[in-house]
Amino acid sequence: MSFSDSDGFPAGMHSLGLATLGTTGVSMPTDGQDSWRAFDDVQVRKGMLIEQGGNNHGYEFNNGIRFYDPDSNTSGYLHPWEHGSAAYVPGSREPDEVIITSQPPDYVFKNEKVYTYDNTHQMYLASEDKLVDLSGVGGVYDFAAARWTHGSAPPFRTPALRMNRAGNAVLAGSGRVPSTTKTDFVDMDALALSAWGAGAQFYDGFRAYVPALDIGLWIGGGTGGGGAYVGVLRRNRDYPASSTRPWIARVRAAPEAALPVGCWSRSISNGVMFDDDKLFIGGGLRRHHTAVNQDCQILDLAPCAEGNLPVVLTTFVDALAAHGNDHGMCQWVLDTARKRVIKLGRRLLAWPLDAGGPWEDITPPGWRHGFGDTRGFYHAPHDRIYFKGPALDGTGRTSGTTAQANEVRYLEF
């Protein structure tokens, strides 16, 4: 069914109340980044906000796994930023001294498994306690082993220490360690490798782990917003009987006629899971970046467990039209205590799922001009949403430093 506007809901039906805005006084690590925005891909692991990669486009930037723990109100690294300490020799053409032009002078590339990049396609697999990044520069991190076990930069027994100007490792030894590439853990056919890698079909598209189905799901994205695929990461049913790879990643063509989803790009976090296999999604940009998407939709994800496309159940036409556009890609969070979607942006909005909407403005005092590129999550033990993102000024532009953008704030209900 579709709703042309919010008039289909009785006036005064919802009273969601305002939240209290506060700050934890803690910022997540900001070193090794080239922008105030700092990071654009976060996950939740065991009650902690975690992130890897960031808003940069170089092999030499921070590849550590960072965290914020609300129970201890601390932040730091679960896995360090791996870089070396040998001197950079500007202008040298010696193989041991040549690295990419933008490399800072005080360290060199040393990570054996994974680079760091903006617009990544990460997924925390709770059932495995692993972080998987299927992008062309990604890898697999095993939290139990506390190390990258697979990656796009295959390790060597004597690992590469530097990069050349083409971005390729200059090997300081030989002897590739077997079974350590990303595709030794995930079975990816040619189309999957293209879609998640060089083809960038899922660039800035929606992605989430679906615990009830034990799958990773990617919808849309693509440079220019033209990616016409849905991607699913699931357990490989042929493992271990006839395959050595425990997970399999496949993509399905998703033309608009088959999947009329308006939220197609610039939508990394514009949706939430609820009722096990349902997705509430909206905002972002339409295909090919033709317009800002103002619709919200509910999708049934159950078919994705078998590698099929999701099914659109409900479309709320122009549900966001009256609320203005956010700055950048802002987080949508599921408030599980009240079963509502919280949208963190220029204003604080709430959508009651059981009532079918509409969006209500619950912006608290102190929100001022709002925040951009927010990242956050709901922490049930504290009944709070913890989030970070740069504050906006009166012109709608971001303000403050990178450290201020990564300060962890909270909303208390």
Side-chain angles (χ1 to χ4, degrees):
M1 58 182 171
S2 298
F3 300 99
S4 59
D5 52 42
S6 61
D7 293 341
F9 304 100
M13 181 176 179
H14 318 304
S15 180
L16 301 182
L18 300 181
T20 299
L21 175 66
T23 179
T24 65
V26 173
S27 289
M28 295 188 73
T30 60
D31 49 330
Q33 301 295 319
D34 67 352
S35 170
W36 56 263
R37 199 171 85 192
F39 317 112
D40 70 358
D41 209 2
V42 300
Q43 310 286 309
V44 177
R45 174 184 180 262
K46 298 185 176 180
M48 293 188 294
L49 188 73
I50 63 170
E51 56 190 10
Q52 189 275 329
N55 187 49
N56 50 64
H57 296 80
Y59 294 92
E60 77 278 15
F61 290 102
N62 194 330
N63 54 40
I65 299 177
R66 303 165 293 275
F67 76 91
Y68 170 72
D69 181 0
D71 288 335
S72 61
N73 194 33
T74 57
S75 67
Y77 284 90
L78 294 176
H79 190 82
W81 175 14
E82 296 181 350
H83 56 74
S85 58
Y88 167 45
V89 183
S92 174
R93 292 295 182 270
E94 294 298 319
D96 287 342
E97 299 170 343
V98 176
I99 52 179
I100 59 179
T101 305
S102 63
Q103 190 87 329
D106 58 341
Y107 67 88
V108 297
F109 177 89
K110 196 180 178 181
N111 188 10
E112 298 179 33
K113 295 294 198 313
V114 65
Y115 307 136
T116 179
Y117 213 70
D118 189 10
N119 316 105
T120 52
H121 316 300
Q122 298 173 359
M123 190 71 56
Y124 173 64
L125 301 178
S127 62
E128 291 264 2
D129 198 21
K130 290 180 171 63
L131 181 68
V132 177
D133 182 351
L134 295 182
S135 65
V137 294
V140 179
Y141 186 82
D142 186 332
F143 285 95
R147 64 187 180 93
W148 293 96
T149 56
H150 302 76
S152 302
F156 290 77
R157 292 190 174 91
T158 305
L161 296 180
R162 295 169 175 80
M163 305 293 292
N164 63 22
R165 285 185 169 80
N168 300 313
V170 177
L171 303 180
S174 62
R176 185 186 296 261
V177 177
S179 303
T180 56
T181 65
K182 175 182 60 181
T183 52
D184 287 315
F185 182 79
V186 182
D187 182 327
M188 303 179 74
D189 61 14
L191 183 57
L193 286 169
S194 173
W196 269 288
Q201 296 296 324
F202 296 121
Y203 176 103
D204 280 352
F206 175 79
R207 57 93 187 97
Y209 174 66
V210 187
L213 303 177
D214 195 19
I215 62 170
L217 176 70
W218 288 257
I219 297 177
T223 51
Y229 295 109
V230 167
V232 175
L233 175 65
R234 60 176 174 81
R235 292 185 181 273
N236 188 351
R237 293 166 185 167
D238 294 329
Y239 173 84
S242 58
S243 174
T244 59
R245 293 168 287 190
W247 287 76
I248 185 170
R250 291 292 185 267
V251 299
R252 286 288 305 272
E256 192 161 12
L259 187 63
V261 172
C263 179
W264 200 252
S265 185
R266 309 298 288 176
S267 54
I268 284 176
S269 304
N270 289 30
V272 301
M273 303 292 136
F274 71 101
D275 288 353
D276 292 339
D277 58 4
K278 301 300 184 295
L279 169 65
F280 181 87
I281 189 171
L285 299 178
R286 292 188 175 274
R287 297 182 190 232
H288 304 288
H289 293 181
T290 54
V292 175
N293 172 53
Q294 304 291 359
D295 298 345
C296 293
Q297 295 173 292
I298 295 177
L299 276 60
D300 180 5
L301 305 181
C304 300
E306 301 300 323
N308 298 313
L309 295 177
V311 175
V312 177
L313 298 178
T314 307
T315 297
F316 303 95
V317 177
D318 285 339
L320 287 163
H323 297 286
N325 301 326
D326 283 329
H327 184 287
M329 294 175 281
C330 289
Q331 188 85 41
W332 294 21
V333 177
L334 179 63
D335 173 2
T336 56
R338 285 154 283 270
K339 198 176 180 182
R340 59 182 181 173
V341 183
I342 303 295
K343 183 172 176 286
L344 306 164
R346 296 185 191 274
R347 306 290 292 175
L348 188 68
L349 303 181
W351 178 283
L353 286 164
D354 285 341
W359 287 107
E360 293 194 6
D361 193 324
I362 59 168
T363 304
W367 197 257
R368 292 177 58 79
H369 306 293
F371 300 87
D373 288 298
T374 53
R375 297 292 172 264
F377 72 113
Y378 176 74
H379 188 61
H382 297 176
D383 195 20
R384 287 178 173 180
I385 290 176
Y386 291 92
F387 74 99
K388 62 190 184 72
L392 303 179
D393 62 21
T395 68
R397 295 185 176 92
T398 57
S399 62
T401 65
T402 298
Q404 289 171 330
N406 283 275
E407 179 184 356
V408 180
R409 299 175 173 86
Y410 65 83
L411 292 162
E412 190 167 38
F413 300 106

